[in-house]
Amino acid sequence: MLGDQEIVQRFLETNLQVHPDVVNYIRKQGDPALIDRIIAAIPESTVVVSTRHIPDFAPERDGTRFLTDPRVEVIRGSADSSAAANNFADFVHLFRDRYTRLGNLIRGRNPAMPIEALTRSSRYNQQECTVIGMVGDVRTTGSGNRLIDLEDPTGQLSVLFNKGKDVFAEAERLLPDEVIGVRGKLSQDGRLFFAEQIVRPDIPINHAPYTSPQPGKAVLVSDIHVGSDTFLEAEWNRFADWLQDSDVQYLLVAGDLVDGIGIYPGQEEELVIRDIYEQYDVLGGMLADLPSRLRIVLSPGNHDAVRAAEPQPAIPPDFTRKFPGNCLFVENPCLLAVQGVRVLMYHGRSIDDMIGLIPGASYAQPEQMMEGMLERRHLALTYGKRTSLAATRQDQLVIDPIPEVLHTGHVHTSGLTRYRGVLGVNAGAWQSQTAFQKQMNIHPTPARAVVLDFQTLEPQILDFTGPSAV
Ligand code: D5M
Ligand code: FE
Ligand code: ZN
């Protein structure tokens, strides 16, 4: 019978550290010759021996075991739920579904009139009322007011936001294709609606988030970008070391798992791994080196090997052959219940669009954009900008039900917020500033992870940029 110490010692003699899972495996096998076979087969650069170095070791890849784990439940966005992106005509259904669902959230608190009923006769002219519609074209008039087209299933209305009114500041933050209520009055000639107030679907003020009665912690990260020459390997390894001794049970990764290939012009020059399968294999090895007690949930981002249009399907099995069995692949976005706490994971491509459209928004404060998603109850509203939307018949980017946590990534800058009880987390990235980001004056805050305590919903930022930083 081999003892753990003896096993560890045998590896140390050849200058190798050994993962606890390997020690367990060897002890159970009770075969001392196995150690020699492992050492003989090990690649020269290896520092830590993990289960993938064991000849003939078959990792447990039984996804169903994980799915029946009562602690992580995929409420929406499981790998087998992939909504097909159908033909172009389905955009009509998509936008109608969006209007109905977001409109109902507004209507619950604000009785509203159909646009057609308002404009059909002169009866309502100059009477205060509310309409609910989707924002179309937004423009500034010659005199500096804002004019928008507002559309509902019955008709269309031109809505004017006077620059002298309080509502004007809100009107500057309108996003094309968002659904809003507008309180105001129709002009005397019935051609223009003068806005007094904007009502958004929003999170109710009295929203009380659920907390887990049992202890439990997750660590939230995103944007690992394996394969890029700016991937921060030493920092990741420090994080992996920290995980060994931590009491964290879940690792959630919100997209851009690898750097991918052909994502932007000239990317080849910035890749150290130019094969997409190899990028995922290396990541699989990195995750296999983490403690096997972790439940790892991975959703894709715009650098991953799935369609760019959102919702993005889960990473298919072709790419995940080297991933350990404790990994669960989900769509982007996806809604999890971890110990009953709802975590909405979304990579965050739409943050680029929001920053471009909202005056004063900046890459340094992604938390403001997370708040913007929550108040609009939608993850990616605007069609036709950088974020491409799939023509699914249902709008899967509506934020409903309300999660306890919104976990995003993409912008590579860390940000935390608490908006009406919902915690917003953007951890950052595991990639240092790229040439492109330098050009764009984007300053990433990489090598950070956010620990979330499910009993308190308190976040804690861990910084792995330096050896003693945590
Ligand atoms: O995006 C990381 C960050 O860099 C994100 O905030 C957008 C910005 N970025 C990256 N590529 C582009 C292009 N081509 N245009 C504008 N902004 C960009 P990531 O998804 O990791 O590449
Ligand atoms: Fe990224
Ligand atoms: Zn991204």
Side-chain angles (χ1 to χ4, degrees):
M1 179 69 187
L2 282 165
D4 286 4
Q5 285 228 318
E6 194 183 343
I7 298 169
V8 173
Q9 191 55 38
R10 287 282 298 282
F11 282 98
L12 280 178
E13 281 161 14
T14 41
N15 276 335
L16 287 165
Q17 295 174 44
V18 62
H19 191 288
D21 287 353
V22 179
V23 177
N24 283 339
Y25 183 82
I26 296 171
R27 183 180 1 89
K28 280 189 201 143
Q29 300 292 312
D31 173 12
L34 179 59
I35 300 179
D36 299 323
R37 288 211 303 281
I38 294 171
I39 292 173
I42 219 137
E44 215 169 298
S45 60
T46 308
V47 180
V48 181
V49 181
S50 67
T51 51
R52 72 197 148 97
H53 297 116
I54 302 174
D56 304 324
F57 178 81
E60 218 178 316
R61 295 194 54 87
D62 181 4
T64 53
R65 182 177 57 87
F66 185 40
L67 285 174
T68 55
D69 182 328
R71 295 174 302 166
V72 180
E73 191 191 336
V74 184
I75 302 177
R76 210 165 289 153
S78 65
D80 55 7
S81 72
S82 262
N86 301 316
N87 51 50
F88 205 73
D90 284 332
F91 277 119
V92 176
H93 292 272
L94 175 76
F95 285 109
R96 185 152 296 194
D97 184 58
R98 175 187 297 183
Y99 174 82
T100 306
R101 290 168 62 198
L102 295 179
N104 285 345
L105 292 175
I106 298 169
R107 203 167 285 113
R109 283 167 286 135
N110 302 274
M113 286 186 71
I115 289 176
E116 205 255 337
L118 178 70
T119 52
R120 189 178 38 203
S121 74
S122 57
R123 191 168 3 146
Y124 300 104
N125 294 8
Q126 293 189 289
Q127 277 198 37
E128 183 151 291
C129 64
T130 300
V131 286
I132 296 173
M134 191 175 285
V135 176
D137 197 28
V138 182
R139 55 203 180 273
T140 304
T141 66
S143 44
N145 299 319
R146 283 230 131 174
L147 193 62
I148 67 163
D149 293 332
L150 193 72
E151 198 181 327
D152 78 3
T154 70
Q156 203 188 343
L157 193 63
S158 294
V159 180
L160 187 93
F161 297 87
N162 189 297
K163 65 170 188 273
K165 299 213 167 174
D166 289 349
V167 72
F168 188 78
E170 268 317 305
E172 286 198 295
R173 298 174 62 243
L174 284 175
L175 296 176
D177 308 326
E178 76 167 300
V179 178
I180 54 167
V182 186
R183 206 169 54 77
K185 284 179 190 166
L186 203 58
S187 61
Q188 197 156 19
D189 64 6
R191 293 209 311 203
L192 208 55
F193 190 80
F194 294 117
E196 291 289 341
Q197 192 192 350
I198 292 174
V199 190
R200 290 208 162 89
D202 225 319
I203 309 290
I205 280 181
N206 58 357
H207 168 66
Y210 174 86
T211 52
S212 168
Q214 278 93 38
K217 285 183 187 169
V219 62
L220 278 52
V221 299
S222 68
D223 298 271
I224 308 178
H225 287 268
V226 171
S228 159
D229 64 3
T230 43
F231 164 61
L232 296 169
E233 189 176 2
E235 285 79 355
W236 177 271
N237 288 339
R238 240 175 255 143
F239 171 52
D241 285 347
W242 175 86
L243 274 171
Q244 288 296 345
D245 301 319
S246 79
D247 57 353
V248 164
Q249 293 116 305
Y250 312 93
L251 170 63
L252 311 183
V253 192
D256 281 0
L257 309 179
V258 300
D259 208 54
I261 49 163
I263 306 293
Y264 56 87
Q267 188 189 15
E268 318 75 80
E269 308 305 316
E270 293 172 26
L271 288 177
V272 287
I273 305 170
R274 292 183 182 193
D275 179 295
I276 184 75
Y277 293 96
E278 203 185 324
Q279 291 180 2
Y280 281 106
D281 287 352
V282 169
L283 175 61
M286 284 157 51
L287 299 178
D289 286 344
L290 302 180
S292 59
R293 69 179 146 78
L294 282 175
R295 293 283 168 260
I296 306 175
V297 184
L298 304 128
S299 53
N302 52 306
H303 281 252
D304 284 292
V306 291
R307 75 157 186 241
E310 299 174 6
Q312 293 184 283
I315 312 277
D318 295 0
F319 297 101
T320 63
R321 56 199 178 183
K322 293 283 173 64
F323 285 62
N326 54 337
C327 289
L328 177 65
F329 301 92
V330 294
E331 295 187 350
N332 169 45
C334 121
L335 181 65
L336 305 175
V338 190
Q339 296 189 185
V341 173
R342 284 170 178 154
V343 182
L344 178 58
M345 295 172 75
Y346 173 57
H347 179 60
R349 187 92 209 259
S350 67
I351 300 175
D352 288 335
D353 294 333
M354 293 172 82
I355 289 176
L357 290 162
I358 299 175
S362 116
Y363 279 102
Q365 287 161 316
E367 65 277 9
Q368 291 180 355
M369 300 304 107
M370 286 188 271
E371 291 169 15
M373 292 174 189
L374 291 167
E375 75 179 312
R376 293 172 178 89
R377 296 289 292 270
H378 202 278
L379 296 170
L381 284 158
T382 307
Y383 177 81
K385 300 276 176 193
R386 255 184 254 158
T387 310
S388 59
L389 302 177
T392 57
R393 292 175 75 92
Q394 254 97 48
D395 189 344
Q396 295 172 48
L397 298 158
V398 170
I399 304 179
D400 193 31
I402 299 170
E404 272 69 46
V405 182
L406 171 60
H407 172 203
T408 65
H410 184 59
V411 286
H412 296 202
T413 41
S414 74
L416 289 181
T417 182
R418 180 106 44 193
Y419 179 75
R420 298 197 172 177
V422 181
L423 177 71
V425 176
N426 195 310
W430 297 90
Q431 182 183 38
S432 58
Q433 193 184 44
T434 63
F436 180 84
Q437 289 162 353
K438 192 167 180 169
Q439 228 179 327
M440 297 278 294
N441 206 22
I442 296 176
H443 297 278
T445 54
R448 286 166 181 72
V450 175
V451 175
L452 172 68
D453 184 322
F454 287 118
Q455 278 182 307
T456 61
L457 296 184
E458 284 304 323
Q460 187 197 355
I461 300 181
L462 304 178
D463 183 342
F464 296 94
T465 45
S468 59
V470 173

mmCIF file of all heavy atoms in Angstrom, residues 304-326:
data_model
loop_
_atom_site.group_PDB
_atom_site.id
_atom_site.type_symbol
_atom_site.label_atom_id
_atom_site.label_comp_id
_atom_site.label_asym_id
_atom_site.label_seq_id
_atom_site.Cartn_x
_atom_site.Cartn_y
_atom_site.Cartn_z
ATOM 1 N N ASP A 304 -14.692 33.035 -29.238
ATOM 2 C CA ASP A 304 -14.804 31.573 -29.199
ATOM 3 C C ASP A 304 -15.305 31.000 -30.524
ATOM 4 O O ASP A 304 -15.780 31.731 -31.390
ATOM 5 C CB ASP A 304 -15.706 31.166 -28.026
ATOM 6 C CG ASP A 304 -14.967 31.301 -26.699
ATOM 7 O OD1 ASP A 304 -14.023 30.518 -26.496
ATOM 8 O OD2 ASP A 304 -15.307 32.208 -25.921
ATOM 9 N N ALA A 305 -15.202 29.667 -30.620
ATOM 10 C CA ALA A 305 -15.436 28.986 -31.896
ATOM 11 C C ALA A 305 -16.911 28.643 -32.128
ATOM 12 O O ALA A 305 -17.239 27.532 -32.526
ATOM 13 C CB ALA A 305 -14.591 27.712 -31.942
ATOM 14 N N VAL A 306 -17.782 29.590 -31.852
ATOM 15 C CA VAL A 306 -19.208 29.403 -32.155
ATOM 16 C C VAL A 306 -19.695 30.651 -32.885
ATOM 17 O O VAL A 306 -18.970 31.644 -32.954
ATOM 18 C CB VAL A 306 -20.058 29.193 -30.877
ATOM 19 C CG1 VAL A 306 -19.751 27.845 -30.240
ATOM 20 C CG2 VAL A 306 -19.850 30.321 -29.876
ATOM 21 N N ARG A 307 -20.919 30.618 -33.410
ATOM 22 C CA ARG A 307 -21.415 31.780 -34.161
ATOM 23 C C ARG A 307 -21.387 33.018 -33.265
ATOM 24 O O ARG A 307 -21.595 32.942 -32.052
ATOM 25 C CB ARG A 307 -22.831 31.524 -34.690
ATOM 26 C CG ARG A 307 -23.900 31.592 -33.630
ATOM 27 C CD ARG A 307 -25.307 31.895 -34.211
ATOM 28 N NE ARG A 307 -26.219 32.082 -33.097
ATOM 29 C CZ ARG A 307 -27.298 31.340 -32.847
ATOM 30 N NH1 ARG A 307 -27.621 30.341 -33.658
ATOM 31 N NH2 ARG A 307 -28.051 31.582 -31.801
ATOM 32 N N ALA A 308 -21.141 34.168 -33.898
ATOM 33 C CA ALA A 308 -21.034 35.410 -33.132
ATOM 34 C C ALA A 308 -22.400 35.928 -32.705
ATOM 35 O O ALA A 308 -22.527 36.605 -31.692
ATOM 36 C CB ALA A 308 -20.313 36.461 -33.967
ATOM 37 N N ALA A 309 -23.442 35.605 -33.489
ATOM 38 C CA ALA A 309 -24.762 36.177 -33.204
ATOM 39 C C ALA A 309 -25.294 35.636 -31.884
ATOM 40 O O ALA A 309 -25.185 34.449 -31.588
ATOM 41 C CB ALA A 309 -25.717 35.856 -34.348
ATOM 42 N N GLU A 310 -25.858 36.534 -31.100
ATOM 43 C CA GLU A 310 -26.347 36.181 -29.763
ATOM 44 C C GLU A 310 -27.845 35.902 -29.800
ATOM 45 O O GLU A 310 -28.571 36.609 -30.489
ATOM 46 C CB GLU A 310 -26.036 37.327 -28.798
ATOM 47 C CG GLU A 310 -24.536 37.579 -28.699
ATOM 48 C CD GLU A 310 -24.170 38.802 -27.866
ATOM 49 O OE1 GLU A 310 -25.069 39.416 -27.263
ATOM 50 O OE2 GLU A 310 -22.982 39.128 -27.826
ATOM 51 N N PRO A 311 -28.313 34.887 -29.031
ATOM 52 C CA PRO A 311 -27.555 34.053 -28.112
ATOM 53 C C PRO A 311 -26.581 33.111 -28.833
ATOM 54 O O PRO A 311 -26.908 32.551 -29.860
ATOM 55 C CB PRO A 311 -28.648 33.247 -27.395
ATOM 56 C CG PRO A 311 -29.824 33.270 -28.314
ATOM 57 C CD PRO A 311 -29.756 34.551 -29.046
ATOM 58 N N GLN A 312 -25.382 32.977 -28.258
ATOM 59 C CA GLN A 312 -24.368 32.089 -28.832
ATOM 60 C C GLN A 312 -24.529 30.691 -28.247
ATOM 61 O O GLN A 312 -24.714 30.538 -27.041
ATOM 62 C CB GLN A 312 -22.970 32.594 -28.469
ATOM 63 C CG GLN A 312 -22.582 33.916 -29.110
ATOM 64 C CD GLN A 312 -21.136 34.268 -28.766
ATOM 65 O OE1 GLN A 312 -20.845 34.715 -27.670
ATOM 66 N NE2 GLN A 312 -20.227 34.044 -29.701
ATOM 67 N N PRO A 313 -24.417 29.667 -29.099
ATOM 68 C CA PRO A 313 -24.518 28.292 -28.586
ATOM 69 C C PRO A 313 -23.335 27.942 -27.676
ATOM 70 O O PRO A 313 -22.317 28.632 -27.699
ATOM 71 C CB PRO A 313 -24.468 27.427 -29.846
ATOM 72 C CG PRO A 313 -24.508 28.354 -31.005
ATOM 73 C CD PRO A 313 -24.161 29.721 -30.533
ATOM 74 N N ALA A 314 -23.502 26.876 -26.916
ATOM 75 C CA ALA A 314 -22.410 26.389 -26.064
ATOM 76 C C ALA A 314 -21.260 25.896 -26.939
ATOM 77 O O ALA A 314 -21.460 25.504 -28.094
ATOM 78 C CB ALA A 314 -22.924 25.270 -25.176
ATOM 79 N N ILE A 315 -20.041 25.894 -26.388
ATOM 80 C CA ILE A 315 -18.874 25.368 -27.118
ATOM 81 C C ILE A 315 -19.136 23.879 -27.400
ATOM 82 O O ILE A 315 -19.378 23.107 -26.475
ATOM 83 C CB ILE A 315 -17.594 25.467 -26.259
ATOM 84 C CG1 ILE A 315 -17.452 26.848 -25.626
ATOM 85 C CG2 ILE A 315 -16.351 25.061 -27.053
ATOM 86 C CD1 ILE A 315 -16.863 27.925 -26.458
ATOM 87 N N PRO A 316 -19.077 23.471 -28.678
ATOM 88 C CA PRO A 316 -19.409 22.068 -28.992
ATOM 89 C C PRO A 316 -18.301 21.093 -28.561
ATOM 90 O O PRO A 316 -17.143 21.497 -28.400
ATOM 91 C CB PRO A 316 -19.576 22.069 -30.508
ATOM 92 C CG PRO A 316 -19.041 23.348 -31.006
ATOM 93 C CD PRO A 316 -18.795 24.279 -29.864
ATOM 94 N N PRO A 317 -18.665 19.816 -28.390
ATOM 95 C CA PRO A 317 -17.723 18.810 -27.868
ATOM 96 C C PRO A 317 -16.444 18.656 -28.698
ATOM 97 O O PRO A 317 -15.413 18.266 -28.162
ATOM 98 C CB PRO A 317 -18.536 17.507 -27.904
ATOM 99 C CG PRO A 317 -19.955 17.938 -27.940
ATOM 100 C CD PRO A 317 -20.000 19.283 -28.583
ATOM 101 N N ASP A 318 -16.481 18.974 -30.003
ATOM 102 C CA ASP A 318 -15.265 18.870 -30.829
ATOM 103 C C ASP A 318 -14.097 19.615 -30.202
ATOM 104 O O ASP A 318 -12.938 19.272 -30.408
ATOM 105 C CB ASP A 318 -15.476 19.554 -32.190
ATOM 106 C CG ASP A 318 -16.507 18.868 -33.025
ATOM 107 O OD1 ASP A 318 -17.044 17.861 -32.544
ATOM 108 O OD2 ASP A 318 -16.771 19.358 -34.146
ATOM 109 N N PHE A 319 -14.410 20.688 -29.507
ATOM 110 C CA PHE A 319 -13.348 21.550 -28.974
ATOM 111 C C PHE A 319 -13.012 21.238 -27.521
ATOM 112 O O PHE A 319 -12.056 21.773 -26.995
ATOM 113 C CB PHE A 319 -13.770 23.026 -29.087
ATOM 114 C CG PHE A 319 -13.969 23.462 -30.500
ATOM 115 C CD1 PHE A 319 -15.248 23.555 -31.042
ATOM 116 C CD2 PHE A 319 -12.874 23.764 -31.305
ATOM 117 C CE1 PHE A 319 -15.429 23.946 -32.360
ATOM 118 C CE2 PHE A 319 -13.053 24.159 -32.624
ATOM 119 C CZ PHE A 319 -14.338 24.246 -33.149
ATOM 120 N N THR A 320 -13.816 20.406 -26.870
ATOM 121 C CA THR A 320 -13.674 20.284 -25.411
ATOM 122 C C THR A 320 -13.164 18.912 -24.985
ATOM 123 O O THR A 320 -13.315 18.530 -23.831
ATOM 124 C CB THR A 320 -15.018 20.584 -24.707
ATOM 125 O OG1 THR A 320 -15.977 19.601 -25.104
ATOM 126 C CG2 THR A 320 -15.533 21.959 -25.063
ATOM 127 N N ARG A 321 -12.528 18.199 -25.926
ATOM 128 C CA ARG A 321 -12.098 16.817 -25.631
ATOM 129 C C ARG A 321 -11.093 16.750 -24.482
ATOM 130 O O ARG A 321 -10.994 15.744 -23.810
ATOM 131 C CB ARG A 321 -11.537 16.182 -26.904
ATOM 132 C CG ARG A 321 -10.393 17.012 -27.479
ATOM 133 C CD ARG A 321 -10.073 16.741 -28.931
ATOM 134 N NE ARG A 321 -8.986 17.658 -29.310
ATOM 135 C CZ ARG A 321 -8.480 17.759 -30.512
ATOM 136 N NH1 ARG A 321 -8.946 17.007 -31.487
ATOM 137 N NH2 ARG A 321 -7.511 18.613 -30.772
ATOM 138 N N LYS A 322 -10.319 17.804 -24.259
ATOM 139 C CA LYS A 322 -9.294 17.772 -23.195
ATOM 140 C C LYS A 322 -9.776 18.407 -21.893
ATOM 141 O O LYS A 322 -8.996 18.614 -20.977
ATOM 142 C CB LYS A 322 -8.028 18.496 -23.670
ATOM 143 C CG LYS A 322 -7.299 17.808 -24.810
ATOM 144 C CD LYS A 322 -6.491 16.611 -24.310
ATOM 145 C CE LYS A 322 -5.886 15.781 -25.429
ATOM 146 N NZ LYS A 322 -4.897 16.470 -26.238
ATOM 147 N N PHE A 323 -11.051 18.762 -21.841
ATOM 148 C CA PHE A 323 -11.565 19.416 -20.632
ATOM 149 C C PHE A 323 -11.947 18.356 -19.608
ATOM 150 O O PHE A 323 -12.458 17.302 -19.962
ATOM 151 C CB PHE A 323 -12.784 20.289 -20.958
ATOM 152 C CG PHE A 323 -12.446 21.591 -21.646
ATOM 153 C CD1 PHE A 323 -11.829 21.594 -22.894
ATOM 154 C CD2 PHE A 323 -12.742 22.807 -21.044
ATOM 155 C CE1 PHE A 323 -11.524 22.781 -23.530
ATOM 156 C CE2 PHE A 323 -12.435 24.003 -21.674
ATOM 157 C CZ PHE A 323 -11.817 23.995 -22.919
ATOM 158 N N PRO A 324 -11.717 18.624 -18.328
ATOM 159 C CA PRO A 324 -12.081 17.635 -17.304
ATOM 160 C C PRO A 324 -13.600 17.499 -17.178
ATOM 161 O O PRO A 324 -14.354 18.356 -17.644
ATOM 162 C CB PRO A 324 -11.468 18.206 -16.028
ATOM 163 C CG PRO A 324 -11.330 19.670 -16.268
ATOM 164 C CD PRO A 324 -11.120 19.845 -17.746
ATOM 165 N N GLY A 325 -14.027 16.414 -16.553
ATOM 166 C CA GLY A 325 -15.447 16.086 -16.469
ATOM 167 C C GLY A 325 -16.258 17.017 -15.589
ATOM 168 O O GLY A 325 -17.488 16.988 -15.620
ATOM 169 N N ASN A 326 -15.604 17.869 -14.810
ATOM 170 C CA ASN A 326 -16.341 18.784 -13.937
ATOM 171 C C ASN A 326 -16.665 20.103 -14.635
ATOM 172 O O ASN A 326 -16.983 21.092 -13.983
ATOM 173 C CB ASN A 326 -15.545 19.049 -12.647
ATOM 174 C CG ASN A 326 -14.132 19.542 -12.933
ATOM 175 O OD1 ASN A 326 -13.589 19.311 -14.007
ATOM 176 N ND2 ASN A 326 -13.541 20.221 -11.980
#
